[in-house]
Amino acid sequence: MDQSAIADRRSLRRKLGFWRLVVAALILIGGFSAYFMANDERIGSAPQVARVSVTGLITDDEELLARLARIEESDAVKAVVVSISSNGGTTYGGEKVYKALRRIAAVKPVVSDIRTTAASAAYMIAVAGDRIFAGETSITGSIGVIFQYPQVKDLLDKIGVSLEEIKSAPLKAEPSPFHPPSEDAKGVVRDLILDSYDWFVDLVAERRGFSHDEAVNIADGRIFSGRQALKLKLVDELGGDEEIRAYLETRGVSSDLPMIDWQASEGISGFTLPRALSTLINLLGYGDLAGRDKLSAGAGEHLLVDGLTSYWRP
């Protein structure tokens, strides 16, 4: 093959690569547009009851908070049902969702629907509702705060590894997984936990009509069935959709209104930049070279929870 033919083929490859890039970009833009159009059409502007699901590990979820803000501003939404199936998560994550729901409750009814489990930070979210429903065998409660960290000193001693550190003050980076905590370090963490715990207890007391002492008696970390929670006034009523509809009618919300699921927007949380780049590389024909899933590997949920947690483990 002569040099001119090789040059022509290289030029053709560059042109094809450019147009592949253009087509891939148009596909991505079209995908975004189609998703949001379909999402807007699904939710619509007709009067409705919005249902929001809170499931899995509760964290600082910006997508959920943005969705709740849209619900608050929507004139079409006449009431909100928060369907909860979660063992809890970060105390801060629960606090943010709680406050967002209370802002909604200032302008339209909010109902909490405890399904399988609403424990710890998930119960914190549940108390944001104007009325709390639960199943007879739902699990709820576990009011409390916990701080956990691993202790690996014994393991390091066995394998002959030591860690030296120079700190600006004795309590810097305490507690540490590399040595047992001092009493001062334990005291600092205990004060931190108790401060957040007191805030949680006062929240439950305020929302459920308890005195502080009554709330403390319940908030010892125990879990309760829906039937037990009803007796303790942690929930208002046992039931599901039918009972929720009946309550909303007392708040002036017609039972004829459709209940629309406001689901997580994949345009924000699911269609991430790493996934978009991975898709683009595959469309350009370089998937095998780059590794089909390597760029999107970091888009999954975190396996560890950072910070103070309000979480129940069976």
Side-chain angles (χ1 to χ4, degrees):
M1 185 178 295
D2 59 26
Q3 292 297 321
S4 61
I6 292 174
D8 289 341
R9 294 189 66 175
R10 287 178 177 173
S11 176
L12 180 59
R13 283 181 181 176
R14 285 195 294 270
K15 290 179 180 179
L16 286 175
F18 171 77
W19 287 111
R20 279 181 176 177
L21 183 61
V22 171
V23 170
L26 290 174
I27 290 173
L28 290 175
I29 294 171
F32 273 118
S33 301
Y35 173 82
F36 286 115
M37 289 175 64
N39 198 46
D40 290 343
E41 183 179 351
R42 176 181 60 79
I43 293 175
S45 58
Q48 61 187 265
V49 175
R51 178 161 53 196
V52 178
S53 295
V54 176
T55 60
L57 186 66
I58 294 168
T59 60
D60 183 11
D61 189 339
E62 293 184 3
E63 189 284 326
L64 175 58
L65 296 174
R67 199 175 351 141
L68 293 175
R70 294 198 301 273
I71 289 173
E72 178 186 354
E73 296 169 359
S74 173
D75 293 332
V77 175
K78 305 305 179 184
V80 180
V81 175
V82 186
S83 178
I84 307 171
S85 289
S86 170
N87 289 0
T90 65
T91 309
Y92 178 75
E95 174 192 348
K96 294 288 284 186
V97 178
Y98 168 84
K99 290 180 177 178
L101 290 173
R102 290 311 302 158
R103 286 193 294 269
I104 295 175
V107 293
K108 59 193 75 175
V110 175
V111 174
S112 296
D113 178 20
I114 295 176
R115 297 298 184 102
T116 306
T117 310
S120 296
Y123 181 70
M124 182 190 299
I125 290 172
V127 298
D130 300 316
R131 194 164 182 83
I132 304 176
F133 291 81
E136 294 190 49
T137 58
S138 298
I139 294 174
T140 190
S142 187
I143 301 167
V145 180
I146 187 172
F147 180 90
Q148 293 179 318
Y149 64 96
Q151 182 55 255
V152 299
K153 180 181 181 301
D154 291 343
L155 175 62
L156 294 179
D157 289 344
K158 286 181 180 179
I159 61 177
V161 176
S162 64
L163 177 74
E164 302 297 332
E165 61 183 14
I166 300 174
K167 301 194 291 186
S168 59
L171 293 177
K172 176 63 179 173
E174 290 289 344
S176 167
F178 303 112
H179 56 255
S182 66
E183 290 303 315
D184 287 343
K186 288 181 180 178
V188 168
V189 175
R190 190 177 298 112
D191 289 344
L192 176 67
I193 292 171
L194 290 178
D195 182 69
S196 294
Y197 171 74
D198 287 341
W199 175 85
F200 195 173
V201 169
D202 288 341
L203 187 71
V204 173
E206 175 188 351
R207 294 294 304 150
R208 302 307 301 165
F210 299 145
S211 69
H212 180 81
D213 289 341
E214 288 173 331
V216 167
N217 287 335
I218 298 173
D220 59 1
R222 284 178 292 168
I223 55 171
F224 308 98
S225 69
R227 286 155 48 95
Q228 292 172 320
L230 180 64
K231 291 179 182 179
L232 293 170
K233 299 181 181 179
L234 289 173
V235 304
D236 297 297
E237 192 173 339
L238 300 179
D241 288 348
E242 185 176 343
E243 290 76 14
I244 290 172
R245 288 288 196 174
Y247 166 72
L248 288 177
E249 282 199 316
T250 68
R251 297 288 304 273
V253 180
S254 173
S255 60
D256 294 330
L257 291 182
M259 188 173 293
I260 304 297
D261 288 311
W262 282 59
Q263 299 175 350
S265 171
E266 292 185 0
I268 296 175
S269 62
F271 203 90
T272 60
L273 179 58
R275 291 184 182 180
L277 290 173
S278 179
T279 301
L280 179 59
I281 289 172
N282 287 325
L283 287 172
L284 292 174
Y286 300 111
D288 293 334
L289 178 62
R292 190 173 299 272
D293 299 317
K294 288 180 181 177
L295 287 174
S296 59
E301 290 187 357
H302 293 290
L303 297 179
L304 299 177
V305 182
D306 296 326
L308 295 173
T309 58
S310 294
Y311 193 80
W312 173 73
R313 292 185 180 89

mmCIF file of all heavy atoms in Angstrom, residues 127-175:
data_model
loop_
_atom_site.group_PDB
_atom_site.id
_atom_site.type_symbol
_atom_site.label_atom_id
_atom_site.label_comp_id
_atom_site.label_asym_id
_atom_site.label_seq_id
_atom_site.Cartn_x
_atom_site.Cartn_y
_atom_site.Cartn_z
ATOM 1 N N VAL A 127 -41.656 11.018 62.123
ATOM 2 C CA VAL A 127 -42.314 11.965 63.021
ATOM 3 C C VAL A 127 -42.541 13.322 62.366
ATOM 4 O O VAL A 127 -43.227 14.179 62.930
ATOM 5 C CB VAL A 127 -41.533 12.140 64.349
ATOM 6 C CG1 VAL A 127 -41.450 10.836 65.105
ATOM 7 C CG2 VAL A 127 -40.164 12.742 64.119
ATOM 8 N N ALA A 128 -42.010 13.519 61.174
ATOM 9 C CA ALA A 128 -42.288 14.763 60.446
ATOM 10 C C ALA A 128 -43.717 14.792 59.938
ATOM 11 O O ALA A 128 -44.253 15.866 59.640
ATOM 12 C CB ALA A 128 -41.315 14.920 59.276
ATOM 13 N N GLY A 129 -44.359 13.631 59.820
ATOM 14 C CA GLY A 129 -45.713 13.567 59.293
ATOM 15 C C GLY A 129 -46.741 14.119 60.263
ATOM 16 O O GLY A 129 -46.576 14.051 61.487
ATOM 17 N N ASP A 130 -47.840 14.647 59.707
ATOM 18 C CA ASP A 130 -48.943 15.114 60.538
ATOM 19 C C ASP A 130 -49.652 13.937 61.208
ATOM 20 O O ASP A 130 -50.261 14.087 62.265
ATOM 21 C CB ASP A 130 -49.952 15.895 59.693
ATOM 22 C CG ASP A 130 -49.327 17.109 59.028
ATOM 23 O OD1 ASP A 130 -48.563 17.823 59.713
ATOM 24 O OD2 ASP A 130 -49.572 17.334 57.829
ATOM 25 N N ARG A 131 -49.570 12.783 60.575
ATOM 26 C CA ARG A 131 -50.143 11.566 61.138
ATOM 27 C C ARG A 131 -49.283 10.391 60.673
ATOM 28 O O ARG A 131 -48.862 10.339 59.521
ATOM 29 C CB ARG A 131 -51.594 11.375 60.700
ATOM 30 C CG ARG A 131 -52.357 10.314 61.504
ATOM 31 C CD ARG A 131 -53.843 10.457 61.282
ATOM 32 N NE ARG A 131 -54.621 9.503 62.056
ATOM 33 C CZ ARG A 131 -54.979 9.664 63.341
ATOM 34 N NH1 ARG A 131 -54.602 10.756 63.986
ATOM 35 N NH2 ARG A 131 -55.706 8.761 63.980
ATOM 36 N N ILE A 132 -49.040 9.450 61.604
ATOM 37 C CA ILE A 132 -48.175 8.311 61.314
ATOM 38 C C ILE A 132 -49.012 7.037 61.300
ATOM 39 O O ILE A 132 -49.708 6.727 62.275
ATOM 40 C CB ILE A 132 -47.054 8.170 62.355
ATOM 41 C CG1 ILE A 132 -46.233 9.458 62.453
ATOM 42 C CG2 ILE A 132 -46.148 6.997 62.000
ATOM 43 C CD1 ILE A 132 -45.165 9.416 63.533
ATOM 44 N N PHE A 133 -48.921 6.312 60.195
ATOM 45 C CA PHE A 133 -49.579 5.015 60.059
ATOM 46 C C PHE A 133 -48.512 3.921 60.048
ATOM 47 O O PHE A 133 -47.392 4.126 59.587
ATOM 48 C CB PHE A 133 -50.393 4.948 58.759
ATOM 49 C CG PHE A 133 -51.605 5.827 58.750
ATOM 50 C CD1 PHE A 133 -51.493 7.196 58.462
ATOM 51 C CD2 PHE A 133 -52.857 5.310 59.027
ATOM 52 C CE1 PHE A 133 -52.609 8.006 58.450
ATOM 53 C CE2 PHE A 133 -53.980 6.125 59.021
ATOM 54 C CZ PHE A 133 -53.855 7.475 58.725
ATOM 55 N N ALA A 134 -48.893 2.745 60.528
ATOM 56 C CA ALA A 134 -47.974 1.606 60.519
ATOM 57 C C ALA A 134 -48.772 0.326 60.392
ATOM 58 O O ALA A 134 -49.976 0.291 60.683
ATOM 59 C CB ALA A 134 -47.136 1.575 61.802
ATOM 60 N N GLY A 135 -48.099 -0.739 59.946
ATOM 61 C CA GLY A 135 -48.715 -2.051 59.955
ATOM 62 C C GLY A 135 -48.639 -2.641 61.350
ATOM 63 O O GLY A 135 -47.830 -2.214 62.183
ATOM 64 N N GLU A 136 -49.448 -3.633 61.612
ATOM 65 C CA GLU A 136 -49.431 -4.242 62.941
ATOM 66 C C GLU A 136 -48.076 -4.846 63.271
ATOM 67 O O GLU A 136 -47.637 -4.842 64.421
ATOM 68 C CB GLU A 136 -50.526 -5.309 63.034
ATOM 69 C CG GLU A 136 -51.930 -4.741 62.955
ATOM 70 C CD GLU A 136 -52.990 -5.772 63.290
ATOM 71 O OE1 GLU A 136 -52.852 -6.458 64.321
ATOM 72 O OE2 GLU A 136 -53.954 -5.902 62.526
ATOM 73 N N THR A 137 -47.400 -5.379 62.252
ATOM 74 C CA THR A 137 -46.110 -6.026 62.477
ATOM 75 C C THR A 137 -44.941 -5.211 61.936
ATOM 76 O O THR A 137 -43.826 -5.726 61.808
ATOM 77 C CB THR A 137 -46.091 -7.427 61.843
ATOM 78 O OG1 THR A 137 -46.364 -7.310 60.434
ATOM 79 C CG2 THR A 137 -47.128 -8.338 62.489
ATOM 80 N N SER A 138 -45.185 -3.954 61.593
ATOM 81 C CA SER A 138 -44.069 -3.083 61.206
ATOM 82 C C SER A 138 -43.099 -2.958 62.382
ATOM 83 O O SER A 138 -43.478 -3.141 63.546
ATOM 84 C CB SER A 138 -44.572 -1.693 60.821
ATOM 85 O OG SER A 138 -45.432 -1.732 59.707
ATOM 86 N N ILE A 139 -41.854 -2.634 62.075
ATOM 87 C CA ILE A 139 -40.837 -2.429 63.113
ATOM 88 C C ILE A 139 -40.466 -0.953 63.140
ATOM 89 O O ILE A 139 -40.171 -0.353 62.100
ATOM 90 C CB ILE A 139 -39.578 -3.276 62.830
ATOM 91 C CG1 ILE A 139 -39.908 -4.765 62.939
ATOM 92 C CG2 ILE A 139 -38.455 -2.916 63.807
ATOM 93 C CD1 ILE A 139 -38.768 -5.672 62.550
ATOM 94 N N THR A 140 -40.493 -0.376 64.328
ATOM 95 C CA THR A 140 -40.162 1.038 64.443
ATOM 96 C C THR A 140 -39.487 1.296 65.784
ATOM 97 O O THR A 140 -39.260 0.386 66.569
ATOM 98 C CB THR A 140 -41.415 1.921 64.264
ATOM 99 O OG1 THR A 140 -41.031 3.287 64.147
ATOM 100 C CG2 THR A 140 -42.392 1.748 65.413
ATOM 101 N N GLY A 141 -39.167 2.554 66.048
ATOM 102 C CA GLY A 141 -38.483 2.899 67.283
ATOM 103 C C GLY A 141 -36.986 2.986 67.100
ATOM 104 O O GLY A 141 -36.504 3.624 66.170
ATOM 105 N N SER A 142 -36.233 2.323 67.973
ATOM 106 C CA SER A 142 -34.766 2.376 67.989
ATOM 107 C C SER A 142 -34.291 3.824 68.014
ATOM 108 O O SER A 142 -33.407 4.227 67.258
ATOM 109 C CB SER A 142 -34.181 1.650 66.767
ATOM 110 O OG SER A 142 -32.779 1.557 66.854
ATOM 111 N N ILE A 143 -34.878 4.604 68.923
ATOM 112 C CA ILE A 143 -34.543 6.022 69.023
ATOM 113 C C ILE A 143 -33.207 6.160 69.737
ATOM 114 O O ILE A 143 -33.074 5.799 70.906
ATOM 115 C CB ILE A 143 -35.647 6.785 69.781
ATOM 116 C CG1 ILE A 143 -36.976 6.627 69.048
ATOM 117 C CG2 ILE A 143 -35.277 8.259 69.940
ATOM 118 C CD1 ILE A 143 -38.174 7.071 69.863
ATOM 119 N N GLY A 144 -32.211 6.643 69.038
ATOM 120 C CA GLY A 144 -30.889 6.780 69.636
ATOM 121 C C GLY A 144 -29.844 7.130 68.603
ATOM 122 O O GLY A 144 -30.127 7.233 67.407
ATOM 123 N N VAL A 145 -28.621 7.312 69.063
ATOM 124 C CA VAL A 145 -27.501 7.704 68.212
ATOM 125 C C VAL A 145 -26.304 6.827 68.568
ATOM 126 O O VAL A 145 -26.104 6.482 69.741
ATOM 127 C CB VAL A 145 -27.138 9.192 68.423
ATOM 128 C CG1 VAL A 145 -25.965 9.603 67.534
ATOM 129 C CG2 VAL A 145 -28.340 10.074 68.150
ATOM 130 N N ILE A 146 -25.523 6.464 67.572
ATOM 131 C CA ILE A 146 -24.368 5.608 67.808
ATOM 132 C C ILE A 146 -23.179 6.096 66.988
ATOM 133 O O ILE A 146 -23.356 6.655 65.898
ATOM 134 C CB ILE A 146 -24.707 4.129 67.452
ATOM 135 C CG1 ILE A 146 -23.559 3.194 67.853
ATOM 136 C CG2 ILE A 146 -25.053 3.984 65.981
ATOM 137 C CD1 ILE A 146 -23.914 1.722 67.720
ATOM 138 N N PHE A 147 -21.993 5.908 67.544
ATOM 139 C CA PHE A 147 -20.753 6.222 66.838
ATOM 140 C C PHE A 147 -19.883 4.977 66.917
ATOM 141 O O PHE A 147 -19.564 4.507 68.017
ATOM 142 C CB PHE A 147 -20.048 7.415 67.493
ATOM 143 C CG PHE A 147 -18.750 7.808 66.840
ATOM 144 C CD1 PHE A 147 -18.743 8.736 65.806
ATOM 145 C CD2 PHE A 147 -17.540 7.260 67.238
ATOM 146 C CE1 PHE A 147 -17.550 9.112 65.197
ATOM 147 C CE2 PHE A 147 -16.346 7.619 66.643
ATOM 148 C CZ PHE A 147 -16.358 8.555 65.611
ATOM 149 N N GLN A 148 -19.501 4.427 65.783
ATOM 150 C CA GLN A 148 -18.718 3.202 65.752
ATOM 151 C C GLN A 148 -17.445 3.409 64.932
ATOM 152 O O GLN A 148 -17.446 4.149 63.954
ATOM 153 C CB GLN A 148 -19.530 2.050 65.144
ATOM 154 C CG GLN A 148 -20.702 1.614 66.003
ATOM 155 C CD GLN A 148 -21.492 0.494 65.359
ATOM 156 O OE1 GLN A 148 -21.747 0.517 64.154
ATOM 157 N NE2 GLN A 148 -21.888 -0.488 66.153
ATOM 158 N N TYR A 149 -16.393 2.738 65.345
ATOM 159 C CA TYR A 149 -15.148 2.758 64.578
ATOM 160 C C TYR A 149 -14.421 1.450 64.851
ATOM 161 O O TYR A 149 -14.559 0.858 65.937
ATOM 162 C CB TYR A 149 -14.286 3.959 64.965
ATOM 163 C CG TYR A 149 -13.794 3.943 66.390
ATOM 164 C CD1 TYR A 149 -12.523 3.462 66.697
ATOM 165 C CD2 TYR A 149 -14.595 4.388 67.435
ATOM 166 C CE1 TYR A 149 -12.068 3.436 68.008
ATOM 167 C CE2 TYR A 149 -14.153 4.358 68.739
ATOM 168 C CZ TYR A 149 -12.888 3.885 69.024
ATOM 169 O OH TYR A 149 -12.444 3.858 70.319
ATOM 170 N N PRO A 150 -13.633 0.947 63.906
ATOM 171 C CA PRO A 150 -12.912 -0.311 64.118
ATOM 172 C C PRO A 150 -11.690 -0.113 65.006
ATOM 173 O O PRO A 150 -11.124 0.985 65.073
ATOM 174 C CB PRO A 150 -12.489 -0.714 62.700
ATOM 175 C CG PRO A 150 -12.355 0.591 61.985
ATOM 176 C CD PRO A 150 -13.418 1.491 62.555
ATOM 177 N N GLN A 151 -11.284 -1.160 65.701
ATOM 178 C CA GLN A 151 -10.062 -1.144 66.504
ATOM 179 C C GLN A 151 -9.144 -2.250 65.979
ATOM 180 O O GLN A 151 -9.448 -3.434 66.109
ATOM 181 C CB GLN A 151 -10.382 -1.376 67.980
ATOM 182 C CG GLN A 151 -9.175 -1.328 68.899
ATOM 183 C CD GLN A 151 -8.386 -0.034 68.766
ATOM 184 O OE1 GLN A 151 -7.311 -0.041 68.165
ATOM 185 N NE2 GLN A 151 -8.911 1.068 69.299
ATOM 186 N N VAL A 152 -8.056 -1.841 65.337
ATOM 187 C CA VAL A 152 -7.202 -2.806 64.634
ATOM 188 C C VAL A 152 -5.831 -2.965 65.284
ATOM 189 O O VAL A 152 -4.932 -3.574 64.705
ATOM 190 C CB VAL A 152 -7.035 -2.403 63.146
ATOM 191 C CG1 VAL A 152 -8.361 -2.394 62.433
ATOM 192 C CG2 VAL A 152 -6.347 -1.046 63.030
ATOM 193 N N LYS A 153 -5.662 -2.443 66.493
ATOM 194 C CA LYS A 153 -4.341 -2.493 67.133
ATOM 195 C C LYS A 153 -3.840 -3.928 67.307
ATOM 196 O O LYS A 153 -2.681 -4.236 67.001
ATOM 197 C CB LYS A 153 -4.394 -1.789 68.484
ATOM 198 C CG LYS A 153 -3.046 -1.796 69.210
ATOM 199 C CD LYS A 153 -3.134 -1.121 70.563
ATOM 200 C CE LYS A 153 -1.762 -1.119 71.244
ATOM 201 N NZ LYS A 153 -1.231 -2.468 71.442
ATOM 202 N N ASP A 154 -4.712 -4.815 67.798
ATOM 203 C CA ASP A 154 -4.291 -6.199 68.027
ATOM 204 C C ASP A 154 -3.868 -6.874 66.726
ATOM 205 O O ASP A 154 -2.902 -7.645 66.691
ATOM 206 C CB ASP A 154 -5.408 -6.989 68.697
ATOM 207 C CG ASP A 154 -5.650 -6.531 70.134
ATOM 208 O OD1 ASP A 154 -4.764 -5.857 70.687
ATOM 209 O OD2 ASP A 154 -6.728 -6.841 70.676
ATOM 210 N N LEU A 155 -4.601 -6.574 65.658
ATOM 211 C CA LEU A 155 -4.248 -7.151 64.362
ATOM 212 C C LEU A 155 -2.884 -6.647 63.903
ATOM 213 O O LEU A 155 -2.045 -7.420 63.427
ATOM 214 C CB LEU A 155 -5.321 -6.811 63.325
ATOM 215 C CG LEU A 155 -5.035 -7.241 61.884
ATOM 216 C CD1 LEU A 155 -4.898 -8.755 61.796
ATOM 217 C CD2 LEU A 155 -6.132 -6.733 60.952
ATOM 218 N N LEU A 156 -2.634 -5.352 64.047
ATOM 219 C CA LEU A 156 -1.348 -4.786 63.638
ATOM 220 C C LEU A 156 -0.203 -5.366 64.469
ATOM 221 O O LEU A 156 0.892 -5.622 63.949
ATOM 222 C CB LEU A 156 -1.378 -3.263 63.771
ATOM 223 C CG LEU A 156 -2.335 -2.519 62.838
ATOM 224 C CD1 LEU A 156 -2.266 -1.024 63.104
ATOM 225 C CD2 LEU A 156 -2.015 -2.806 61.382
ATOM 226 N N ASP A 157 -0.483 -5.589 65.767
ATOM 227 C CA ASP A 157 0.555 -6.183 66.626
ATOM 228 C C ASP A 157 0.913 -7.588 66.144
ATOM 229 O O ASP A 157 2.094 -7.982 66.153
ATOM 230 C CB ASP A 157 0.074 -6.239 68.073
ATOM 231 C CG ASP A 157 0.015 -4.848 68.711
ATOM 232 O OD1 ASP A 157 0.625 -3.918 68.153
ATOM 233 O OD2 ASP A 157 -0.667 -4.698 69.745
ATOM 234 N N LYS A 158 -0.083 -8.330 65.697
ATOM 235 C CA LYS A 158 0.166 -9.705 65.263
ATOM 236 C C LYS A 158 1.010 -9.760 63.992
ATOM 237 O O LYS A 158 1.816 -10.675 63.813
ATOM 238 C CB LYS A 158 -1.162 -10.424 65.033
ATOM 239 C CG LYS A 158 -1.891 -10.794 66.320
ATOM 240 C CD LYS A 158 -3.189 -11.523 66.021
ATOM 241 C CE LYS A 158 -3.911 -11.890 67.318
ATOM 242 N NZ LYS A 158 -5.197 -12.597 67.031
ATOM 243 N N ILE A 159 0.813 -8.795 63.117
ATOM 244 C CA ILE A 159 1.556 -8.826 61.857
ATOM 245 C C ILE A 159 2.812 -7.960 61.918
ATOM 246 O O ILE A 159 3.527 -7.806 60.930
ATOM 247 C CB ILE A 159 0.666 -8.383 60.674
ATOM 248 C CG1 ILE A 159 0.167 -6.952 60.847
ATOM 249 C CG2 ILE A 159 -0.503 -9.339 60.503
ATOM 250 C CD1 ILE A 159 -0.653 -6.457 59.669
ATOM 251 N N GLY A 160 3.079 -7.387 63.087
ATOM 252 C CA GLY A 160 4.315 -6.647 63.280
ATOM 253 C C GLY A 160 4.350 -5.275 62.657
ATOM 254 O O GLY A 160 5.398 -4.806 62.202
ATOM 255 N N VAL A 161 3.208 -4.592 62.634
ATOM 256 C CA VAL A 161 3.133 -3.240 62.070
ATOM 257 C C VAL A 161 2.773 -2.273 63.187
ATOM 258 O O VAL A 161 1.847 -2.523 63.977
ATOM 259 C CB VAL A 161 2.085 -3.162 60.943
ATOM 260 C CG1 VAL A 161 1.961 -1.720 60.435
ATOM 261 C CG2 VAL A 161 2.446 -4.095 59.808
ATOM 262 N N SER A 162 3.478 -1.167 63.252
ATOM 263 C CA SER A 162 3.172 -0.140 64.242
ATOM 264 C C SER A 162 2.933 1.192 63.540
ATOM 265 O O SER A 162 3.417 1.410 62.426
ATOM 266 C CB SER A 162 4.323 0.001 65.244
ATOM 267 O OG SER A 162 5.496 0.454 64.597
ATOM 268 N N LEU A 163 2.198 2.050 64.218
ATOM 269 C CA LEU A 163 1.893 3.374 63.662
ATOM 270 C C LEU A 163 2.389 4.430 64.633
ATOM 271 O O LEU A 163 2.013 4.432 65.804
ATOM 272 C CB LEU A 163 0.392 3.536 63.436
ATOM 273 C CG LEU A 163 -0.044 4.907 62.927
ATOM 274 C CD1 LEU A 163 0.322 5.056 61.458
ATOM 275 C CD2 LEU A 163 -1.540 5.124 63.111
ATOM 276 N N GLU A 164 3.236 5.310 64.147
ATOM 277 C CA GLU A 164 3.719 6.421 64.959
ATOM 278 C C GLU A 164 2.973 7.682 64.536
ATOM 279 O O GLU A 164 2.661 7.868 63.357
ATOM 280 C CB GLU A 164 5.232 6.608 64.764
ATOM 281 C CG GLU A 164 6.071 5.382 65.108
ATOM 282 C CD GLU A 164 5.975 5.001 66.568
ATOM 283 O OE1 GLU A 164 5.732 5.913 67.399
ATOM 284 O OE2 GLU A 164 6.112 3.806 66.886
ATOM 285 N N GLU A 165 2.694 8.565 65.490
ATOM 286 C CA GLU A 165 1.978 9.787 65.152
ATOM 287 C C GLU A 165 2.462 10.946 66.015
ATOM 288 O O GLU A 165 2.864 10.757 67.169
ATOM 289 C CB GLU A 165 0.465 9.606 65.308
ATOM 290 C CG GLU A 165 0.023 9.251 66.713
ATOM 291 C CD GLU A 165 -1.472 9.011 66.797
ATOM 292 O OE1 GLU A 165 -2.112 8.856 65.734
ATOM 293 O OE2 GLU A 165 -1.995 8.975 67.920
ATOM 294 N N ILE A 166 2.446 12.109 65.424
ATOM 295 C CA ILE A 166 2.763 13.347 66.130
ATOM 296 C C ILE A 166 1.553 14.257 65.949
ATOM 297 O O ILE A 166 1.157 14.557 64.816
ATOM 298 C CB ILE A 166 4.034 14.005 65.556
ATOM 299 C CG1 ILE A 166 5.232 13.052 65.699
ATOM 300 C CG2 ILE A 166 4.310 15.328 66.266
ATOM 301 C CD1 ILE A 166 6.486 13.556 65.024
ATOM 302 N N LYS A 167 0.956 14.697 67.063
ATOM 303 C CA LYS A 167 -0.300 15.439 67.002
ATOM 304 C C LYS A 167 -0.136 16.824 67.619
ATOM 305 O O LYS A 167 0.704 17.044 68.497
ATOM 306 C CB LYS A 167 -1.401 14.673 67.732
ATOM 307 C CG LYS A 167 -1.645 13.289 67.162
ATOM 308 C CD LYS A 167 -2.937 12.684 67.662
ATOM 309 C CE LYS A 167 -2.878 12.348 69.138
ATOM 310 N NZ LYS A 167 -4.111 11.631 69.565
ATOM 311 N N SER A 168 -0.972 17.735 67.168
ATOM 312 C CA SER A 168 -0.949 19.091 67.705
ATOM 313 C C SER A 168 -1.554 19.156 69.100
ATOM 314 O O SER A 168 -1.248 20.060 69.880
ATOM 315 C CB SER A 168 -1.707 20.035 66.765
ATOM 316 O OG SER A 168 -3.058 19.603 66.614
ATOM 317 N N ALA A 169 -2.428 18.189 69.419
ATOM 318 C CA ALA A 169 -3.072 18.147 70.733
ATOM 319 C C ALA A 169 -3.519 16.719 70.994
ATOM 320 O O ALA A 169 -3.763 15.951 70.053
ATOM 321 C CB ALA A 169 -4.256 19.106 70.789
ATOM 322 N N PRO A 170 -3.647 16.328 72.257
ATOM 323 C CA PRO A 170 -3.958 14.940 72.585
ATOM 324 C C PRO A 170 -5.259 14.422 71.984
ATOM 325 O O PRO A 170 -5.376 13.222 71.696
ATOM 326 C CB PRO A 170 -4.035 14.954 74.119
ATOM 327 C CG PRO A 170 -3.203 16.105 74.541
ATOM 328 C CD PRO A 170 -3.370 17.137 73.469
ATOM 329 N N LEU A 171 -6.246 15.298 71.775
ATOM 330 C CA LEU A 171 -7.548 14.843 71.302
ATOM 331 C C LEU A 171 -7.698 14.924 69.783
ATOM 332 O O LEU A 171 -8.761 14.628 69.249
ATOM 333 C CB LEU A 171 -8.667 15.643 71.975
ATOM 334 C CG LEU A 171 -8.805 15.408 73.485
ATOM 335 C CD1 LEU A 171 -9.886 16.301 74.070
ATOM 336 C CD2 LEU A 171 -9.097 13.939 73.784
ATOM 337 N N LYS A 172 -6.626 15.333 69.096
ATOM 338 C CA LYS A 172 -6.681 15.370 67.637
ATOM 339 C C LYS A 172 -6.805 13.945 67.102
ATOM 340 O O LYS A 172 -6.072 13.047 67.506
ATOM 341 C CB LYS A 172 -5.426 16.051 67.086
ATOM 342 C CG LYS A 172 -5.328 16.056 65.567
ATOM 343 C CD LYS A 172 -6.461 16.849 64.941
ATOM 344 C CE LYS A 172 -6.337 16.861 63.422
ATOM 345 N NZ LYS A 172 -7.506 17.491 62.789
ATOM 346 N N ALA A 173 -7.756 13.743 66.153
ATOM 347 C CA ALA A 173 -7.964 12.450 65.489
ATOM 348 C C ALA A 173 -8.290 11.339 66.481
ATOM 349 O O ALA A 173 -7.859 10.205 66.317
ATOM 350 C CB ALA A 173 -6.757 12.073 64.644
ATOM 351 N N GLU A 174 -9.037 11.687 67.521
ATOM 352 C CA GLU A 174 -9.482 10.680 68.474
ATOM 353 C C GLU A 174 -11.003 10.530 68.400
ATOM 354 O O GLU A 174 -11.707 11.511 68.187
ATOM 355 C CB GLU A 174 -9.095 11.086 69.908
ATOM 356 C CG GLU A 174 -7.613 11.031 70.181
ATOM 357 C CD GLU A 174 -7.064 9.624 70.240
ATOM 358 O OE1 GLU A 174 -7.883 8.681 70.365
ATOM 359 O OE2 GLU A 174 -5.837 9.456 70.157
ATOM 360 N N PRO A 175 -11.505 9.307 68.556
ATOM 361 C CA PRO A 175 -10.794 8.053 68.816
ATOM 362 C C PRO A 175 -10.127 7.515 67.555
ATOM 363 O O PRO A 175 -10.590 7.759 66.447
ATOM 364 C CB PRO A 175 -11.898 7.114 69.291
ATOM 365 C CG PRO A 175 -13.111 7.600 68.589
ATOM 366 C CD PRO A 175 -12.969 9.095 68.509
#
